Amino acid sequence: MSSHPSPVRTAPGDVLIREATEDDRAAMRDVITAAYAPYAAVLPAAVYSRYLADLLDFDRHAGHGPLLLTELAGRVVGCGAFYRDIGTQGMGWPAGWAGGRGLAVHPDARGTGVARALLVECERRARLICAPVFGVHTATFMSDAVLLYERFGFRRAPEFDFDLAAHLGLPVRPIPVVAYRRDLAPAPH
């Protein structure tokens, strides 16, 4: 399998999904910064800055799987890290499941199918490596993400919830992070 498979064109919405290159990182940084900006008002400043820095640590994430990029009409509007083994995130997931980290869509592109296309591509990749489950973490205040996962057929997996503040080693109020999972059927041959 090539390290850079051909880009995947989704249905008529002209969403293009491909593996990101080093040259894409500035655009990815812009998408993640814009997508997560509303949470600066919800989270304590120390938590938000550490959380954002973690999401933007592309070198670390790329060590566990490809960074994916979505384009709509030639513009980078979404991105995320696909983890071949989500257990390597260090957030309590079991080994052998695939997962996503920092899945983000620019606010200007919400409602265009970009997030759904990104999830479909992540799940396609998970099936190709025979992962039985695709998992993601989110927070209850990220209501759009919660709705997306639930509409997409994800189920809550509370045994993998954790406290973001404690995970980041910060002595502030607990910030619950909730886990969702989607059981996968094997990829057709």
Side-chain angles (χ1 to χ4, degrees), residues 26 38 72 89 103 106 122 136 139 153 174 179 182:
L72 183 62
Q89 283 185 353
L103 303 175
H106 194 282
C122 285
V136 292
R182 184 161 150 97

Side-chain angles (χ1 to χ4, degrees), residues 77-169:
V77 294
C79 60
F82 173 74
Y83 273 67
R84 290 180 189 96
D85 184 343
I86 198 171
T88 62
Q89 283 185 353
M91 297 180 179
W93 292 109
W97 290 7
R101 182 88 174 106
L103 303 175
V105 175
H106 194 282
D108 296 345
R110 291 197 178 134
T112 61
V114 170
R116 187 179 198 302
L118 187 57
L119 281 175
V120 167
E121 177 61 10
C122 285
E123 287 191 5
R124 183 187 74 80
R125 288 170 181 261
R127 284 184 181 93
L128 287 174
I129 60 170
C130 299
V133 175
F134 183 79
V136 292
H137 279 121
T138 192
T140 55
F141 58 82
M142 296 179 178
S143 55
D144 289 344
V146 168
L147 285 172
L148 173 71
Y149 296 136
E150 290 178 353
R151 284 185 186 141
F152 204 67
F154 281 74
R155 293 181 297 125
R156 280 281 289 117
E159 64 273 26
F160 304 114
D161 292 355
F162 70 94
D163 173 13
L164 179 61
H167 176 74
L168 296 173

